[in-house]
Amino acid sequence: MDVMPQQAATPEPLTQHVQRLIARVRAFDRRHPLAWDLHLAGFCVTAALMDYAAGGWRDIARSTEAPDWLIVALNLGFSLPLLWRRTHPVAVLLAMAPFALVNAWTGAALQAAMLQLVVVYNIALRLPLRTLWWTTLLNIAPVLLIAVRHRQNGWDQEIVPPLMSIAVAVLAGVAVRTRRDYTEALEDRARRLEIERDQQARLAAAAERARIAREMHDIIGHNLSVITGLADGGRYAAAKSPERAAQALDAIAGTSRQALTDLRSLLDVLRDDHQHPEADLTPQPALTDLAPLIDGVRAAGLPVHTTVNGTPNLPPGRQLTVYRVIQEALTNTLKHAGPGATAEIMMSYDGQGAATVTITDTGQGSALHSSGGGGRGLPGMRERTALYGGTLEAGPRRPPEHGWRVHLHLPSEEPAQ
């Protein structure tokens, strides 16, 4: 049964509005952290002083005998240090500890003491979790002190609620921290994937440029070499045999048209198909195109003898590799072998995709062959061969023989698993 792909659910408009608002608040906080800290610390100081001024602290105090100045000092001691709670949370908690002990000893039990939980939350959010052990004990000490000195209820009611409040603050900090780390990991992964995507795109573009350059080299280099050979032969034949000269001109025209057709086929695939739907995506050359290739080289004045053993059963990619290697070898022979040279091509195939091709010539251009190694010809042949795990050898023939030898071997294809 086919499973339909699920689309990501679109958040509700209210949810989107809240998310945008939270994102703007966080962005402002990152740009101006002191502004938010001042607002929070100022609010807490104001609330603590209002609690003192209204006398509300007396309603829950265990003892109201503490002097007014001490109550004011305790309120400021619990609220004012919050200004540094994010940058130095441990120092803030240590600064609050004496006020917490005095608050518990006197029995004032100010509500401002609950602000220590804000500091505990920031410690769980920003510092190593091992810090929570002793900071938690630091918060439990005043709870035990007030329970021992000013106990009004059972031990479970005196101890458990404060401990639960501390636990909630710790869990909230850990949860927000985990969520933040997870979000940062996702964002980092997204950035890495984006960078990897761009790198892959650049590598693909570079590989495509190299492929196009290799194809253009093969097309232009071979056809221009054939045209040059035909033009030279026609020039010599013009004085003695006008008919041979006319045949050479016809061959030049045919070769030029074929070169233009091949170049158009190569360049049309680079265009936008929507803008150029008429692009002629002609297939790449195959082994069936070897005969016209060799005939063109012969017409350019290079005798070529071919020997074929076995029946070729190669996929299109391997056929193109064999074709281009033979084309490049014959092109180099036309360029560098010199007058009176001949070429021989020996091709052997088996029924499993293996191919062995040897191209030799009898020219005197070994040094010129070697000097052309800085171009795209030999590297292009080796790149094509490496795609199929094959080997390519190119170099002068062993003495006393003269000329150049190119040997290509493509191994058998591995059966599909």
Side-chain angles (χ1 to χ4, degrees):
M1 180 178 63
D2 295 336
V3 178
M4 298 296 293
Q6 296 182 354
Q7 296 181 350
T10 303
E12 295 292 334
L14 179 59
T15 304
Q16 294 179 352
H17 177 72
V18 172
Q19 289 176 348
R20 288 194 296 268
L21 180 61
I22 293 175
R24 285 197 291 267
V25 171
R26 288 177 176 173
F28 178 81
D29 184 40
R30 285 193 296 269
R31 293 192 301 268
H32 310 286
L34 183 60
W36 175 250
D37 293 342
L38 285 172
H39 277 80
L40 180 62
F43 174 80
C44 292
V45 169
T46 302
L49 293 179
M50 288 179 62
D51 182 59
Y52 159 74
W57 67 276
R58 299 178 182 274
D59 297 335
I60 61 173
R62 304 293 177 90
S63 173
T64 59
E65 297 178 358
D68 291 346
W69 65 267
L70 181 60
I71 301 301
V72 173
L74 291 176
N75 280 315
L76 292 177
F78 285 128
S79 58
L80 191 60
L82 292 179
L83 183 62
W84 300 277
R85 79 193 188 283
R86 290 197 287 187
T87 55
H88 303 88
V90 173
V92 170
L93 189 63
L94 291 175
M96 287 182 174
F99 294 95
L101 293 174
V102 173
N103 181 57
W105 180 266
T106 60
L110 298 177
Q111 295 183 17
M114 299 294 291
L115 295 177
Q116 293 178 99
L117 299 178
V118 177
V119 184
V120 172
Y121 166 82
N122 280 268
I123 291 175
L125 181 64
R126 293 179 171 83
L127 297 182
L129 296 181
R130 60 178 180 271
T131 310
L132 290 172
W133 292 105
W134 65 269
T135 54
T136 301
L137 295 176
L138 194 63
N139 280 271
I140 293 176
V143 174
L144 297 176
L145 179 60
I146 197 171
V148 171
R149 184 172 173 79
H150 302 281
R151 183 165 62 90
Q152 295 179 347
N153 302 301
W155 287 101
D156 56 340
Q157 297 181 14
E158 293 284 348
I159 302 297
V160 174
L163 291 181
M164 291 185 63
S165 300
I166 295 173
V168 169
V170 170
L171 292 177
V174 172
V176 174
R177 177 179 189 159
T178 302
R179 177 70 178 179
R180 182 195 62 188
D181 293 345
Y182 178 71
T183 303
E184 290 177 353
L186 290 180
E187 293 175 350
D188 181 69
R189 183 172 182 269
R191 285 193 296 269
R192 291 177 180 273
L193 289 176
E194 185 176 356
I195 294 173
E196 183 179 354
R197 180 199 63 191
D198 294 340
Q199 290 176 343
Q200 292 293 337
R202 287 193 293 268
L203 290 174
E208 185 65 13
R209 286 195 297 268
R211 186 190 69 82
I212 293 170
R214 187 168 60 240
E215 295 291 341
M216 293 186 69
H217 168 272
D218 292 340
I219 294 171
I220 296 175
H222 170 74
N223 287 287
L224 285 181
S225 297
V226 173
I227 290 172
T228 301
L230 291 170
D232 290 339
R235 179 165 56 86
Y236 289 120
K240 298 181 180 180
S241 178
E243 294 181 358
R244 295 288 301 276
Q247 293 175 358
L249 292 175
D250 291 338
I252 289 174
T255 303
S256 300
R257 282 192 292 270
Q258 181 61 41
L260 288 174
T261 301
D262 292 342
L263 284 176
R264 288 194 187 101
S265 300
L266 178 63
L267 297 177
D268 280 345
V269 299
L270 303 179
R271 301 179 180 178
D272 190 349
D273 292 338
H274 298 288
Q275 297 179 0
H276 301 277
E278 72 282 358
D280 181 16
L281 303 181
T282 303
Q284 292 280 22
L287 294 180
T288 55
D289 299 302
L290 279 177
L293 170 71
I294 295 172
D295 290 340
V297 173
R298 287 170 178 159
L302 176 65
V304 180
H305 176 71
T306 61
T307 302
V308 180
N309 296 319
T311 302
N313 184 21
L314 304 178
R318 291 181 172 236
Q319 292 188 37
L320 177 62
T321 299
V322 172
Y323 179 92
R324 291 304 189 196
V325 168
I326 294 176
Q327 182 187 53
E328 179 65 23
L330 294 178
T331 300
N332 288 337
T333 300
L334 280 173
K335 289 180 180 179
H336 309 304
T342 61
E344 182 177 2
I345 305 173
M346 298 183 63
M347 295 172 280
S348 299
Y349 305 100
D350 66 9
Q352 299 179 351
T356 302
V357 180
T358 303
I359 307 102
T360 57
D361 64 58
T362 59
Q364 304 296 324
S366 297
L368 294 175
H369 269 295
S370 301
S371 65
R376 296 183 179 272
L378 291 177
M381 287 194 291
R382 290 193 173 95
E383 290 174 6
R384 291 181 186 277
T385 305
L387 289 176
Y388 301 99
T391 58
L392 183 100
E393 301 174 2
R397 299 175 67 182
R398 295 179 180 178
E401 297 175 331
H402 297 283
W404 192 262
R405 176 181 177 270
V406 175
H407 179 75
L408 165 70
H409 175 70
L410 298 178
S412 301
E413 292 184 285
E414 295 182 0
Q417 298 294 330

